[in-house]
Amino acid sequence: MKVCVITGGGSGMGLEAARAMPNDRVFLLSGRTQSKLDRAAERLKAEGKQAYVMTCDTSDRRQVHELARYAASLGEVTNVIHAAGLSPSMADPEKLLRVNALGTVYVNREFAKVMTKGVIVDISSNSAYQLPKIMIPRKTYCLAEKHEQAFLDKLLRMCRLVKDSYKSAGLAYALSKNFAVWYAQKSAFELGSRGIRVCSISPGLIATDMGELEKGEGASMLKYTAEKRMGTPEELGFAIAMAADERNGYLAGVDILVDGGSVNGKNA
Ligand SMILES: NC(=O)c1ccc[n+]([C@@H]2O[C@H](COP(=O)([O-])OP(=O)(O)OC[C@H]3O[C@@H](n4cnc5c(N)ncnc54)[C@H](OP(=O)(O)O)[C@@H]3O)[C@@H](O)[C@H]2O)c1
């Protein structure tokens, strides 16, 4: 049986991606909150899907390792959608970098160990595109796999230069998501020869719980979207499911902006 794992699958885009994926597989939803996962699994079951849940904090590599092992015990892991993430209002810069950036390393690495072929889709953000090129610390990104503390220290030093605490968290978020795009591309070229296809998706402002929380700050981007509106979780779920579907076999090593056009609208 094929297994589709969705981190952050208890809500928002992760759950909508599960709903949009074909029914011919087992779904394993993970996140930190058991009750949220149980509710999401019940919803999938009511819609005719097989669903399992497991709590997992993706900023803890050991827990991600256990999640991957459990997924492999359910069948052949063919699809991994990594949607778990935190936004600037939810956490301080260190936590944002640990969950959004290092979490992506752990998910891609630990799942690659249990997959023989398949797809990994990492969810980033259009915030990844908000950093001027000169501020993108590529050399620091290269430290993430082997020198985690140095990776964190260097990125946190950049964030501390911003005195306003929300803006500092905003910078950490943008860095963590820019890293996720970079890391998905790196993973694609490392894992492609093994038949594991990797890509990322960068949503704009989407009306999930997280999007509602950030909409005060994020609203400034809405005027640049083609339709002057937020995206819906269902629209993103469909886009993510499309990217994660095996039939989309030539989609690799690339980031897909699903942001209603806001990045291009702003630069126009
Ligand atoms: N909504 C937007 O406007 C927007 C825009 C751009 C990008 N994104 C990205 O899209 C992804 C999905 O977000 P969403 O909008 O669907 O929001 P959401 O409904 O809040 O979903 C995020 C999920 O991640 C889980 N999560 C958070 N921290 C975690 C951790 N350390 N370990 C495991 N799970 C964790 C949460 O569950 P628990 O709290 O129970 O762990 C939650 O179910 C995120 O990566 C987010 O950064 C969102």
Side-chain angles (χ1 to χ4, degrees):
M1 186 57 133
K2 291 178 182 176
V3 179
C4 173
V5 182
I6 309 191
T7 72
S11 63
M13 297 178 217
L15 176 56
E16 290 304 326
R19 296 186 66 218
M21 289 290 285
N23 280 7
D24 65 344
R25 60 204 68 206
V26 164
F27 290 85
L28 173 59
L29 309 178
S30 81
R32 296 165 303 173
T33 315
Q34 183 77 47
S35 56
K36 207 194 269 189
L37 296 172
D38 289 339
R39 270 197 310 275
E42 284 314 311
R43 184 160 181 200
L44 293 185
K45 286 179 192 165
E47 293 173 1
K49 289 184 155 69
Q50 273 194 71
Y52 293 80
V53 304
M54 182 173 178
T55 55
C56 170
D57 183 333
T58 47
S59 65
D60 179 334
R61 188 163 197 153
R62 190 188 49 76
Q63 291 185 38
V64 178
H65 175 77
E66 290 306 320
L67 179 70
R69 275 170 51 116
Y70 179 54
S73 77
L74 296 172
E76 185 194 357
V77 181
T78 48
N79 318 80
V80 176
I81 295 170
H82 174 40
L86 294 173
S87 65
S89 300
M90 294 171 161
D92 63 22
E94 178 167 353
K95 184 126 184 139
L96 288 165
L97 290 167
R98 285 189 183 278
V99 173
N100 297 352
L102 290 176
T104 303
V105 175
Y106 303 156
V107 168
N108 289 13
R109 287 283 138 206
E110 294 301 327
F111 277 93
K113 289 180 191 165
V114 300
M115 292 169 81
T116 49
K117 62 179 188 318
V119 192
I120 301 175
V121 179
D122 294 313
I123 308 306
S124 175
S125 163
N126 69 348
S127 300
Y129 292 80
Q130 283 164 15
L131 294 170
K133 254 195 183 140
I134 194 164
M135 275 183 74
I136 298 173
R138 286 279 160 84
K139 282 190 183 150
T140 301
Y141 290 174
C142 297
L143 298 171
E145 284 177 340
K146 294 200 174 114
H147 305 283
E148 271 181 21
Q149 198 53 51
F151 170 78
L152 287 173
D153 288 346
K154 282 177 186 273
L155 294 185
L156 286 172
R157 214 170 295 144
M158 287 175 72
C159 298
R160 275 191 216 105
L161 294 173
V162 181
K163 293 299 165 214
D164 176 87
S165 63
Y166 183 83
K167 288 190 174 137
S168 179
L171 175 58
Y173 182 76
L175 285 164
S176 71
K177 293 299 192 178
N178 185 273
F179 172 82
V181 168
W182 177 85
Y183 194 73
Q185 283 177 22
K186 179 176 186 289
S187 303
F189 294 105
E190 286 170 0
L191 301 175
S193 59
R194 287 182 42 200
I196 301 174
R197 179 169 71 76
V198 188
C199 65
S200 57
I201 288 207
S202 286
L205 189 62
I206 311 302
T208 61
D209 292 348
M210 182 187 290
E212 294 296 337
L213 197 63
E214 300 296 341
K215 102 176 160 189
E217 288 294 320
S220 62
M221 285 302 278
L222 291 183
K223 64 175 178 283
Y224 299 114
T225 62
E227 295 183 21
K228 319 289 179 224
R229 66 170 176 92
M230 289 171 87
T232 68
E234 293 80 5
E235 287 168 334
L236 264 290
F238 179 77
I240 294 166
M242 181 206 70
D245 193 304
E246 304 78 296
R247 289 169 290 183
N248 212 343
Y250 209 44
L251 185 71
V254 72
D255 182 63
I256 308 170
L257 257 176
V258 187
D259 73 337
S262 60
V263 166
N264 285 340
K266 191 172 182 194
N267 296 336

